[in-house]
Amino acid sequence: MDLSATLLQKASTDHSERERGEAFSAVRSPHPMKILRLAFALALASGITAILIYIAGVSQSYGNNGISEDDLRALVSLRSDFQKCVKANGLGLEALAGRDYCEVVIQFPPDTLPKWRDPKTGELEGLSFEFNLCEAVATWEQVRNSTTILTKEFIDALPNGWEEYAWRRINKGINLNRCENKTLCLEKLALVLPETPPYVPRQFGRCAVIGNSGDLLKTNFGEEIDGYDVVIRENGAPIQNYTKYVGRKSTFRLLNRGSAKALDKVVELDETRKEVLLIKTTIHDIMNKMIRELPIHNPVYLMLGASFGSAAKGTGLKALEFALSICDSVDMYGFTVDPGYKEWTRYFSESRQGHTPLHGRAYYQMMECLGLIKIHSPMRVDVNRVVKWVPSRSTLHAARIASEKVLRRFRSEDDPLGACTLVKKRHTSQVKSTTGPRNVAVKHQQYVKGATMYPLEHSIGDGVLCMVPKD
Ligand SMILES: *[C@@H]1O[C@H](CO)[C@@H](O)[C@H](O)[C@H]1NC(C)=O
Ligand SMILES: *[C@@H]1O[C@H](CO)[C@@H](O)[C@H](O)[C@H]1NC(C)=O
Ligand SMILES: *[C@@H]1O[C@H](CO)[C@@H](O)[C@H](O)[C@H]1NC(C)=O
């Protein structure tokens, strides 16, 4: 059993000196997360003020994680707004406080009937899901300042990038002996590997990410969707014959493995043939052949994503990640499983298996209540709906600073490159400026002094790789 859960139980049932003594000796673990949990457990028993004083003492004696009273207040305040927001916008969802200052549990109403079964265990999906707000606040903020497109400079800059990483992005790359023949690897990746990022943070204004859910057919969102600056679609989602529901515009399309192999069919979905195609997985010889021989003129890239753990593996979340890395604001359509859902359907085909719809729905609600996205669905048809109780900018800012300390992602506030765990200089003189006239994008580039931030995947050790200009 988890230490903090034990402590929680003890704190609420037994206040004897002996138990206290045990609890205090457990603080030997220097990890701030543990300390937070302990503090939280004790706070339940002895009131918050005492604990704040106690915690200040703990952080002093445990050196430099530097979690202050203000930091804890920021986390408490974030969670409190977050809980109100979920209540006000979640259509029956509720966020309960978890085991520490960071954790929340998002719960569906008890009368929700889960329909999805784990194909391996046969178990029905549960009705409550744990999320870590600290992790979410810190990671998503990072995404907004990063590029999510794989580039050559990124592979070049990784320690042993060609030997350790490049082959993983090539189908059957395992046979390439860690890119022993780099020319061959480069050849396979060349058609989808720009030298530097084709997009910069906040390059675009309002973006819409369109899922494939059948509930899109219950409303006519088409016109509304076409009003966005950028529309991002997924896999084989058709446009023709459905424009009333899903709009006509299509700027980007994110592809999983299966759809990417049918690249020739996918390019036909957008009649302008200008859609940018983003492949989530690997480049395949079949795709290279199609791009060369058909030929396919749409830009095609591989996506580079942050690690969000098991909560977030689907194409939908990757599409949101990409959108957040290039847009000011992100709205989502066609993803939700609203109360009373019968089964997971697609707007263009019969129902299908899908995966963990309730978990996904809860995760998206968390994103909405962290001010990252806005959800549109048949039950939220008003385009001007205000998401109530979204934590304010200043609350989010303070909570992010606190979260970075809790997660030990130390960075100095004044240093725009403070988040970089690895810094490399560009070979090329300058990134082609694609920012156009958007002021916020230019400002951001100035703030980071022309650097590009790349998320490092879990296998490479997390963190951020920063490419800084030549000079
Ligand atoms: C490496 O790959 C290139 C491109 O396919 C090929 O021309 C070359 O012969 C290969 N070199 C070796 C040493 O196998
Ligand atoms: C649209 O409808 C027409 C006529 O039924 C059909 O031939 C065509 O394949 C449909 N297109 C898509 C993308 O489903
Ligand atoms: C992201 O960039 C903005 C400026 O555009 C800055 O205020 C913020 O601190 C940056 N966040 C991180 C995590 O680097």
Side-chain angles (χ1 to χ4, degrees), residues 425-445:
K425 262 209 173 79
R426 293 212 141 93
H427 313 298
T428 44
S429 50
Q430 200 48 48
V431 178
K432 184 176 55 154
S433 175
T434 45
T435 55
R438 277 183 55 81
N439 203 15
V440 276
V442 174
K443 274 220 177 99
H444 179 75
Q445 284 310 296

Side-chain angles (χ1 to χ4, degrees), residues 181 183-184 187:
N181 184 347
T183 317
L184 180 61
E187 219 168 62

Side-chain angles (χ1 to χ4, degrees), residues 113 115 118 190 269 292 459:
L113 292 176
K115 299 275 166 71
D118 187 319
L269 296 171
R292 282 208 184 90
S459 60

Side-chain angles (χ1 to χ4, degrees), residues 3-4 7 26-41 54-56 58-68 71-72 75 99-103 132 134 401-410:
L3 167 72
S4 51
L7 287 173
V27 192
R28 293 283 172 254
S29 159
H31 197 279
M33 206 72 189
K34 284 265 162 59
I35 295 171
L36 276 192
R37 286 195 177 165
L38 173 72
F40 184 69
Y54 169 70
I55 255 292
V58 168
S59 37
Q60 261 162 32
S61 53
Y62 284 92
N64 54 7
N65 61 58
I67 299 164
S68 67
D71 290 330
L72 289 182
L75 294 180
R99 288 174 298 186
D100 60 39
Y101 288 100
C102 293
E103 207 176 274
N132 185 316
C134 299
I401 306 289
S403 298
E404 282 165 357
K405 291 181 193 168
V406 170
L407 300 167
R408 305 199 145 179
R409 295 184 193 166
F410 297 115

